[in-house]
Amino acid sequence: MGELKDRYIRFDWAIKRMLRDKANFAVLEGLLTVLFEDKTQIVEILESEGNQLAETDKFNRVDIKAKNSKGEIILVEVQNTREVYYLERILYGVAKTITEHISLGESYGNIKKVYSISIVYFDLGKGNDYLYHGQNRFIGVHTDDELQITTKQEDALLPKYPREIFPEYYIIRVNEFNKVAKTPLEEWVNYLKTGEIEPETKAPGLSEAREKLKYYSMTPGERHAYDEHLNAIMIQNDVLSTAKMEGLAEGRAEGRAEGRAEGLEEGWAKGKAEGLLSTARKLKSMGMPPEDISLATGLTIEEIQEL
């Protein structure tokens, strides 16, 4: 029975089906608290144009759009399969969210800060870390200092940094995590990768996940749909892996063919060069001037003099 009790629903399924429920907000709040290193509270899950499926709208992949207690907007999405223009799509999604949440004619001061969190299960780029954070900072080209803007707020002039306004991006490269989980962040990423949660965990959100995301707490119909989801992911990954292996095999075959062709070409070029040198030696032994030998063979005067 222990095995049955300790199986938990993968995060990529939970975020689409279960974490929109206010009763389950604590799970996602835990992940955000660990990422931001600051207690995060979700006020509501937002519905907008960006969440609707429309053929004319490229932005339909955000899994959750939430607003925190500071009024900031948080986009969370899970990506299981490779996408060529993934970074561009993240940028588009953030830009669209900013414009969705400010009305025409409103002050730019009403623009909300947006956080984008991408949990990717494919090999995105090259790097040695499993977590990357992007943030806008304006740094002096010659002075190396950070630009600070003075802004009026509640009848007072306060300093503000651009990074406090511009979007922030977090990319969690799940496949790159290969550590023994010791910190709350590592425990979370281990769960994202394996679906496993340690019984003694103190990581924010994971103890709630152990209670709310139990596989055997789902109905038989929900378990069937979940199992089909896992099966579809496995098939997708197998297809991609097979295509990759076939591509490598084709590449090696083409490389061998090109190598053979290059080898023939190199042999022909080498033979031609040796023939020109032999001809030049004979002409030189016959007393022909170097200039004429050069015209006949294409060799330089220096090359002919060295023969």
Side-chain angles (χ1 to χ4, degrees), residues 250-278:
E250 288 177 8
R252 284 194 292 267
E254 289 176 6
R256 285 194 294 268
E258 288 175 5
R260 285 194 294 270
E262 287 173 4
L264 290 172
E265 191 173 323
E266 285 177 9
W268 180 83
K270 185 177 179 181
K272 181 180 178 182
E274 289 176 353
L276 289 174
L277 289 172
S278 177

Side-chain angles (χ1 to χ4, degrees), residues 15-204:
I15 199 173
K16 297 176 190 295
R17 302 293 183 100
M18 306 172 75
L19 300 186
R20 298 176 182 275
D21 187 336
K22 192 166 185 175
N24 297 331
F25 278 5
V27 177
L28 186 57
E29 287 172 347
L31 172 60
L32 301 178
T33 294
V34 168
L35 267 184
F36 300 156
E37 298 182 343
D38 185 33
K39 178 65 177 174
T40 302
Q41 181 181 4
I42 294 174
V43 175
E44 62 178 315
I45 301 298
L46 301 170
E47 293 297 335
S48 69
E49 296 172 17
N51 296 105
Q52 297 170 8
L53 296 177
E55 291 182 6
T56 56
D57 188 359
K58 295 178 184 297
F59 180 54
N60 57 15
R61 299 297 298 276
V62 168
D63 292 310
I64 280 187
K65 178 188 286 189
K67 185 169 72 174
N68 66 15
S69 56
K70 299 176 185 177
E72 300 165 328
I73 298 170
I74 302 167
L75 308 178
V76 186
E77 88 169 31
V78 176
Q79 181 75 3
N80 278 307
T81 55
R82 183 179 304 279
E83 185 164 325
V84 176
Y85 297 110
Y86 188 66
L87 294 181
E88 289 82 353
R89 184 163 66 72
I90 292 173
L91 177 62
Y92 177 79
V94 168
K96 182 160 188 185
T97 297
I98 292 171
T99 58
E100 278 181 356
H101 291 274
I102 183 170
S103 302
L104 189 64
E106 275 191 274
S107 166
Y108 288 124
N110 293 326
I111 286 177
K112 303 298 183 185
K113 182 177 176 71
V114 176
Y115 296 89
S116 170
I117 301 166
S118 299
I119 302 168
V120 297
Y121 286 83
F122 63 93
D123 297 331
L124 177 67
K126 293 183 179 179
N128 298 320
D129 210 333
Y130 60 87
L131 175 64
Y132 285 85
H133 177 220
Q135 189 175 36
N136 287 77
R137 294 173 183 263
F138 290 80
I139 305 299
V141 174
H142 304 102
T143 57
D144 205 37
D145 65 322
E146 185 174 359
L147 180 66
Q148 178 179 294
I149 307 294
T150 301
T151 182
K152 187 174 182 180
Q153 195 172 29
E154 296 179 357
D155 299 321
L157 292 177
L158 300 174
K160 182 178 286 186
Y161 290 98
R163 55 184 158 84
E164 298 173 39
I165 306 166
F166 281 77
E168 289 186 41
Y169 302 85
Y170 291 83
I171 296 178
I172 303 175
R173 302 162 74 231
V174 175
N175 292 344
E176 301 306 314
F177 182 76
N178 294 297
K179 302 173 67 175
V180 175
K182 295 181 179 179
T183 67
L185 175 60
E186 290 171 349
E187 287 187 66
W188 253 103
V189 179
N190 183 64
Y191 163 60
L192 294 176
K193 182 175 182 177
T194 66
E196 299 171 0
I197 305 173
E198 292 298 324
E200 315 82 25
T201 184
K202 297 292 190 293

